[in-house]
Amino acid sequence: MANTNENSTIGIGWYVHLPFCRTKCGYCDFYSLPTVSSLIPDLVRAIVGEIDLRMPNRPVRTIFVGGGTPTELPAENLDELLEAIGRMAGAAVSEWTVEANPSSASDLKLDVLRRRGVNRISFGAQSFFPEDLAVLERIHDPSHIPESIDAARRAGFDNVNLDLIYGIPGQSMQRWRESLARAIDLGTDHLSCYSLMYETGTALTKFRDQGRVTPCDESLEADMFEATIDVLANAGYVQYEISNFAKPGRRCEANLIYWRNEEYLGVGPSAVSYLDGLRRKNIVDVRKYVNWMAGQPDDLVVESESLTPMARAAETAIQMLRLIEGIDRTHFIAATGFDPISLFADALSETTTAGLVEITPTHIRLTRRGLLLSNYVMRAFLSAVEDENPTRAPTQQFVTLQIEKT
Ligand code: SF4
């Protein structure tokens, strides 16, 4: 496998969704369910079959195996799946990530990952405090986090991500800063720091609506975000996306494919693909997914969307605005055929006047204030195409489904 090359943009990404978790975390709205052991062999066969059926004849640059919790699979099933993925993906892959829960990454499974070519591991740490983990209904204990990182290093991983969450009910600024400090002390190569979201239909949202949890104060949450930027910058991490921070050479290439609105193949139940201008989402039911691959009539695809050129341009703009470098004007024109300065003239006038966006000779990017109000900026950019054709505006949600979260 080639070394990670942050400048390479040749090839597509593959995303593989494994839906099983030991239990459901209260805030999670990704497709996941308690592990059904009897389905695992069929699921592995179905995923391998889907890749074989659908893989485009294009080099594969990144692989991201997420979920769910991929490391919930027994070692022999994980081995079978990863062997097949690696064989079909070929030698052009520069980054191969697998998501793991700190409590399910055994030495045996970590050895399987390394042996099959996985070179990046992403742990869903979320917090170093039991009170926070209890609110989130995570199954791991804070002590599992350093243990799992140690085990990953022993297995040979030199590229380790931790996901952390701020804005948890009851979390103080001091506790958030302490979680950041511990993640830094562990020598983590990459940190994804997301604010807690109250997604429709989750247990946490129900608890909030019932008054059983009190959401974090908005101004405290904004202060936590600003503290994150400053603390991680002082520790040598480069913020390259609103919520993502990396040591030099350690940006997540798989996620950069989403944020640049480039092509990817998604396989497994609920996975989203974006190929040849068509976005499609697989069926959100592991039994139906397995049955489809075994020849049952249920349709694999439950949503598909072919964007108009202008809708695609707007979607590309809001994805690229997430990047700290912003919208590369030359790249944007080459990818979409539109000049962003004229396409988003009204949105730019409004957001630059408000100090949320700045225009450089080469890029359009969020200011520091704009980072705090990015949703407002993105709505302004989307309104440019909604005004043009209200029925064809892209949905930001649809393209951010597969970003790291386990
Ligand atoms: S947050 Fe991650 S570990 Fe928790 S239920 Fe969702 S996918 Fe599973």
Side-chain angles (χ1 to χ4, degrees):
M1 188 174 292
N3 288 327
T4 298
N5 177 355
E6 296 200 348
N7 296 317
S8 170
T9 55
I10 297 166
I12 66 167
W14 281 7
Y15 173 79
V16 179
H17 190 87
L18 294 168
F20 295 134
C21 293
R22 212 169 303 166
T23 59
K24 185 79 178 173
C25 305
Y27 62 98
C28 175
D29 77 333
F30 292 100
Y31 177 56
S32 67
L33 69 164
T35 306
V36 184
S37 299
S38 60
L39 274 178
I40 289 174
D42 285 344
L43 176 64
V44 168
R45 268 192 294 277
I47 287 174
V48 174
E50 190 191 353
I51 295 174
D52 193 36
L53 193 70
R54 296 184 53 214
M55 64 182 201
N57 186 20
R58 264 164 271 178
V60 184
R61 189 161 100 231
T62 66
I63 305 171
F64 195 103
V65 182
T69 309
T71 46
E72 279 301 305
L73 259 59
E76 62 272 23
N77 302 103
L78 203 53
D79 189 42
E80 181 189 346
L81 177 67
L82 298 180
E83 185 280 324
I85 292 172
R87 180 168 33 80
M88 290 190 285
V93 178
S94 62
E95 178 192 279
W96 185 353
T97 302
V98 170
E99 288 186 320
N101 189 298
S103 66
S104 64
S106 66
D107 288 344
L108 176 63
K109 289 179 190 178
L110 290 167
D111 282 343
V112 166
L113 302 188
R114 284 297 298 149
R115 189 154 38 81
R116 292 305 179 192
V118 177
N119 58 11
R120 182 173 184 273
I121 189 152
S122 174
F123 290 110
Q126 317 312 357
S127 171
F128 285 79
F129 289 87
E131 307 91 308
D132 296 337
L133 296 174
V135 172
L136 299 173
E137 299 187 84
R138 299 289 305 189
I139 56 168
H140 67 275
D141 181 274
S143 65
H144 289 132
I145 304 168
E147 286 168 14
S148 60
I149 292 185
D150 278 354
R153 297 293 191 205
R154 280 198 308 276
F157 283 97
D158 64 359
N159 195 356
V160 176
N161 172 64
L162 288 187
D163 290 347
L164 294 175
I165 294 180
Y166 61 91
I168 300 169
Q171 185 183 38
S172 63
M173 174 65 93
Q174 191 189 351
R175 220 150 78 191
W176 171 239
R177 284 181 174 276
E178 184 62 28
S179 273
L180 285 173
R182 293 200 200 171
I184 293 165
D185 285 348
L186 288 168
T188 318
D189 305 281
H190 185 284
L191 284 163
S192 297
C193 301
Y194 291 99
S195 64
L196 181 63
M197 302 296 289
Y198 291 83
E199 306 288 359
T200 306
T202 62
L204 185 70
T205 300
K206 196 169 104 189
F207 290 161
R208 180 201 61 186
D209 295 346
Q210 292 171 342
R212 291 166 65 185
V213 296
T214 307
C216 177
D217 180 76
E218 270 184 29
S219 65
L220 173 59
E221 194 172 302
D223 289 346
M224 286 174 166
F225 178 49
E226 292 220 78
T228 307
I229 296 171
D230 295 336
V231 167
L232 294 182
N234 285 335
Y237 292 84
V238 176
Q239 183 184 19
Y240 67 102
E241 190 267 351
I242 294 173
S243 306
N244 283 273
F245 304 80
K247 293 268 182 73
R250 292 291 184 236
R251 296 187 305 176
C252 177
E253 281 296 312
N255 283 346
L256 282 167
I257 286 178
Y258 299 129
W259 294 320
R260 291 177 183 141
N261 217 18
E262 295 170 355
E263 294 191 305
Y264 52 90
L265 169 71
V267 298
S270 82
V272 174
S273 298
Y274 181 44
L275 292 167
D276 303 318
L278 184 69
R279 195 177 309 286
R280 42 178 275 170
K281 182 176 182 182
N282 281 0
I283 195 160
V284 190
D285 183 313
V286 65
R287 289 180 178 82
K288 288 183 178 171
Y289 175 80
V290 166
N291 286 342
W292 178 85
M293 293 307 295
Q296 296 299 307
D298 298 302
D299 197 349
L300 176 66
V301 178
V302 287
E303 287 175 37
S304 78
E305 180 178 41
S306 180
L307 295 178
T308 63
M310 193 179 282
R312 180 161 184 267
E315 187 180 88
T316 303
I318 60 170
Q319 289 299 98
M320 294 184 87
L321 272 173
R322 295 194 61 87
L323 296 169
I324 300 306
E325 69 176 24
I327 300 170
D328 178 325
R329 289 166 63 181
T330 307
H331 176 99
F332 188 89
I333 293 168
T336 69
F338 291 96
D339 179 354
I341 298 290
S342 49
L343 183 61
F344 303 110
D346 290 345
L348 283 170
S349 166
E350 179 189 339
T351 54
T352 52
T353 304
L356 303 176
V357 168
E358 61 187 358
I359 302 172
T360 75
T362 56
H363 287 77
I364 297 166
R365 65 186 181 210
L366 296 172
T367 60
R368 171 117 178 185
R369 188 168 135 73
L371 288 172
L372 287 161
L373 296 169
S374 58
N375 286 342
Y376 175 85
V377 174
M378 287 168 193
R379 270 200 300 275
F381 275 68
L382 271 180
S383 69
V385 290
E386 283 167 348
D387 292 347
E388 189 71 26
N389 185 345
T391 63
R392 293 305 309 148
T395 52
Q396 189 184 352
Q397 185 66 24
F398 200 46
V399 293
T400 53
L401 288 170
Q402 293 171 168
I403 304 290
E404 299 175 352
K405 72 287 167 192
T406 285

